[in-house]
């Protein structure tokens, strides 16, 4: 843009030839009334004193005109007029009552109600205030409960008063009320006997805290209130600053070098400080943000100049920062601080000075013209209307920086991710180790159990005679396995036997089941034992053959189901009923078991009923089988589990006593399906 | 005092978020001024705009916070999530990277707002169909998966801009009616301004509570 560069060089010439000065004229800052003090845009160009006089006289004029205009503003109906009167009365009352806190409660009850509620809502919805209160208690509790009570009393009176007057009085009056309360509390702290023992510095802090606490709890009502046009002002200046985005440091004749990275970072710090102002709530905090920002600006200037900073240089730099920052709700914030920050703080000290500077900067921006920027009218207009746009170093740097910024951000993110991955890997490893340990532990305990158990089982003497038969049966089974079995006689009728045989079968089929054997004896003693799972594989093989029998049994088993439920605890009774064989031979002694083992291979069909007999608690499960028998393959496995212990027990025996002669009768009984036996 | 203090019954706070240059400020400007702002300067920190709309016969003032997309100001903008009743999450349909960042914006929003906050996904610059980099289907699937409302809009032509803001308001208003959104909650992002000096029925209950209170 050749035109632009020309224009800029023109500016340089201007700078060189003419000693640049602050472009706010003295006269602009003076009070409108001509009293000689400086005025302020927020006070309509008056100084504070004249502004007050001015507004007072205005108000008087208004009241002479009649209260109607005031009323219409607040949308006051006939009833609320009465309400207002009442309110005023109560105001007087509360003012009096304040000194007599005992009566506060009664005054509350008589109150119109609404202010209390608002205060109430305000409390609820203000966790920050609650936090502050907790802080207060933590800090000042050492000086006695009285202080806390007094503090609460005063702050509540203040809040109530403000909320009451909120719709009725203009903000300026509320500000005055606030100032009065601040002073009252200060006097109270200094004179009231409650505060006798409090050291002076704590008193100061208490006064400050009073302001802080009340303002934070009233923030929603007092900041940018809908009764004022603060928000419009905010929008106006926001739009204006946006339009002025082309203004750079040279226009303002300030020495900030926009191209230096360090300077830019410092300026960003200042901008961030200023932006923080809107998120703060208490006036002091907002003021603190301004102070922080201004200090950063001073730092920027020091960096650029390498020397001390004069006020003449400071203001343009601050203007630059404000222009670049375009802080949210700038006017509202300034007005809020002006109204509700304790006056003494605004009038003196560093904070007061910087805040005044900020106000000046804002009013400069509001009134900025071509002349104040030392540029031709046309050029100014061209910029303002957007006809000419210049890509400032600032803007482009902003974009470029963003790229860098994101890069850095992503690198940080990656680093974090890799750290987390590392952690995950480590935990995985430790988890793996834990699992290994657990596995070993289980193996060990299983081993130890195995070592212990066999001892218990061994002593078996009586069944020897049977065993021989058993062996024979086995032999028979091997020779003619599946089909023939169903036919044989129902002689022994002991379903125990069947079980036993089954166990035996499993032992034969799966040599692994030796382990199970060890456990089974215990189980035999106590049917509900948990060895089941181990033995289950052996059983799983049987179901296929079982199913037909089960089907035939269906009716019976269902009947049994009910019975089983009722007397789970009782011994075989239920099972006995199930199987007629049982009834016939009510002495299911231990002896029969052992021989049965021999009948193993084909014995499968009758197994189910036997299970029931054996392990009473599991009867229910047996019935489950019955229910699901329609789809035998799927249903069978679960019920088998319970019965497992029995088999295993027997199977173990079987394995131990392979030499027992088999009793063919037993065998046949096992093989015979219940249906047959019935027949 | 140009306008009456209470010519609306609610204030809803919105926040507009999304990557740099997706057109957040332009969306806001289009909504509040009904104009397209060419050469919009980069937003620093936050800016805001307001407009009064009407939902189900209720006048509602939208106070919309337009945040800077830059990381540098994330610290500042974060404080504005708190207390937003609606969040408009914007991406640029011509730049996939802005779409890819949505999940991180969403995480931020979910973490910093309250659960009742309505999140609306806007694919901006839909007038630039030729340069499209993110399909409508893809984005709407993303929106569906995350329970967001979604529309493609153009701040330049004004397509769907109004709708996005209004739909969000409707949803918020609905959750107020349903009682899902507690007006008294600290950061609900909704302020109730009774249009009459007469108070809402709530106050009676609270009065009773107050009387019981010993303090």
């Amino acid at each position: 843009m050749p035109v632009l560069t020309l224009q800029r060089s023109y500016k340089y010439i201007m700078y060189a030839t003419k000693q640049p000065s602050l472009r706010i004229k003295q006269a602009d800052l003076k009070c409108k009334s001509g009293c000689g003090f400086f005025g302020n845009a927020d006070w309509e160009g008056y100084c504070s004193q004249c502004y007050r006089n001015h507004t007072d006289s205005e108000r008087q004029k208004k009241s002479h005109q009649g209260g109607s205009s005031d009323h219409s503003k607040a949308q006051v109906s006939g009833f609320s007029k009465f309400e207002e009167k009442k309110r005023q009365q109560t105001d007087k009352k509360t003012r009096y009552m304040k000194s007599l806190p005992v009566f506060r409660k009664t005054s509350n009850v008589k109150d119109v109600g609404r202010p209390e509620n608002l205060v109430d809502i305000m409390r609820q919805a203000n966790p920050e205030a609650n936090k502050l209160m907790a802080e207060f208690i933590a800090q000042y509790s050492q000086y006695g409960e009285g202080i806390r009570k007094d503090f609460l009393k005063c702050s509540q009176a203040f809040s109530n008063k403000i909320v009451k007057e909120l719709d009725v009085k203009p903000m300026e009056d509320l500000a005055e009320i606030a100032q009065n309360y601040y002073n009252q509390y200060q006097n109270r702290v200094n004179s009231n006997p409650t505060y006798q023992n409090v050291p002076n510095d704590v008193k100061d802090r208490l006064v400050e805290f009073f302001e802080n606490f009340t303002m934070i709890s009233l923030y929603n009502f007092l900041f940018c209130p809908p009764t004022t046009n603060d928000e419009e002002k905010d929008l106006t200046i926001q739009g204006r600053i946006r339009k002025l985005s082309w203004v750079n440091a040279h226009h303002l004749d300030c020495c900030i070098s926009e191209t230096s990275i360090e300077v830019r970072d410092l300026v960003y710090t200042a901008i961030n400080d200023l932006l923080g102002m809107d998120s703060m709530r208490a006036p002091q905090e907002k003021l603190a943000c301004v102070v922080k920002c201004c200090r950063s600006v001073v730092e920027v200037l020091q960096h650029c100049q390498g020397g001390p900073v004069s006020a003449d240089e400071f203001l343009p730099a601050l203007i630059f920062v404000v222009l670049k920052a375009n802080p949210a709700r700038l006017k509202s914030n300034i007005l809020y601080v002006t109204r509700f920050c304790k006056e003494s703080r605004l009038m003196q000290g560093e904070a007061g000075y910087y805040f005044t500077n900020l106000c000046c900067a804002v009013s400069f921006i509001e009134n900025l013209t071509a002349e104040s920027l030392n540029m031709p009218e046309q050029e100014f207009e061209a910029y303002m209307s957007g006809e000419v746009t210049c890509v400032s170093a600032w803007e482009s740097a902003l974009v470029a920086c963003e790229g860098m910024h994101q890069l850095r951000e992503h690198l940080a993110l990656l680093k974090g991710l890799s750290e987390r991955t590392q952690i995950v890997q480590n935990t995985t490893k430790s988890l793996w180790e834990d699992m290994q340990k657990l596995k070993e532990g289980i193996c060990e305990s299983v081993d130890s159990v195995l070592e212990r158990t066999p001892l218990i089982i061994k002593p078996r003497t009586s069944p020897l005679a049977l065993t021989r038969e058993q062996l024979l049966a086995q032999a028979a089974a091997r020779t003619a396995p599946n089909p023939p079995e169903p036919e044989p006689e129902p002689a022994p009728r002991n379903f125990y036997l069947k079980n036993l045989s089954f166990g035996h079968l499993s032992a034969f089929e799966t040599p692994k089941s030796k382990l199970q054997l060890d456990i089974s004896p215990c189980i035999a003693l106590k049917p509900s034992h948990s060895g089941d799972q181990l033995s289950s594989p052996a059983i799983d093989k049987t179901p296929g053959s079982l199913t037909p029998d089960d089907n035939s049994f269906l009716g019976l088993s269902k009947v049994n189901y009910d019975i089983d439920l009722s007397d789970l605890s009782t011994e075989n009774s239920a099972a006995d009923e199930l199987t007629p064989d049982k009834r016939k031979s009510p002495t299911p002694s231990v002896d029969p078991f052992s021989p049965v083992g021999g009948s193993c291979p084909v014995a499968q069909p009758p197994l189910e009923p036997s299970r029931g007999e054996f392990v009473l608690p599991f009867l229910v499960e047996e019935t489950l089988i019955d229910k699901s028998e329609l789809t035998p393959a799927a249903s069978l496995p679960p019920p088998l589990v319970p019965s497992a212990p029995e088999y295993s027990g027997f199977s173990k025996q079987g394995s131990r006593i392979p030499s027992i002669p088999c009793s063919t009768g037993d065998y046949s009984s096992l093989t015979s399906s219940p249906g047959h036996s019935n027949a | 005092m140009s306008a009456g203090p209470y010519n609306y019954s609610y204030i809803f706070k919105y926040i507009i978020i999304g990557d740099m240059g997706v057109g957040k400020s332009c969306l806001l400007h289009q909504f509040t001024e009904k104009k397209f702002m060419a050469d919009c300067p980069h937003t620093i920190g936050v800016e805001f705009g307001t407009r009064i709309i009407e939902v189900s016969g209720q006048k509602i003032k939208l106070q919309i916070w337009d945040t800077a997309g830059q990381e540098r100001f994330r610290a500042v903008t974060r404080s504005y999530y708190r207390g937003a009743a609606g969040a408009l999450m914007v991406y640029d349909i011509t730049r996939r990277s802005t779409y890819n960042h949505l999940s991180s914006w969403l995480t931020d929003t979910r973490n910093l707002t309250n659960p009742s906050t309505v999140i609306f996904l806007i694919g901006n610059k839909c007038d630039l169909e030729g340069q499209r980099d993110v399909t409508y289907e893809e984005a709407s699937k993303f929106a569906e998966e995350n329970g967001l409302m979604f529309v493609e809009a153009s701040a330049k032509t004004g397509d769907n801009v109004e709708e996005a803001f209004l739909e969000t308001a409707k949803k918020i208003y609905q959750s107020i009616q349903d009682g899902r959104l507690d007006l008294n909650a600290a950061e609900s992002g909704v302020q109730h301004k009774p249009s009459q000096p007469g108070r809402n029925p709530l106050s009676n209950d609270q009065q009773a509570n107050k009387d019981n209170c010993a303090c």
Side-chain angles (χ1 to χ4, degrees), chain A residues 586-607:
Chain A
T587 56
S589 63
V590 189
D591 312 5
F593 303 105
S594 51
V596 182
S599 63
C600 46
V602 201
Q604 297 138 350
L607 282 178

Side-chain angles (χ1 to χ4, degrees), chain B residues 36 71 100 106 204:
Chain B
F36 177 61
E71 284 286 340
N100 292 340
L106 188 61
N204 291 332

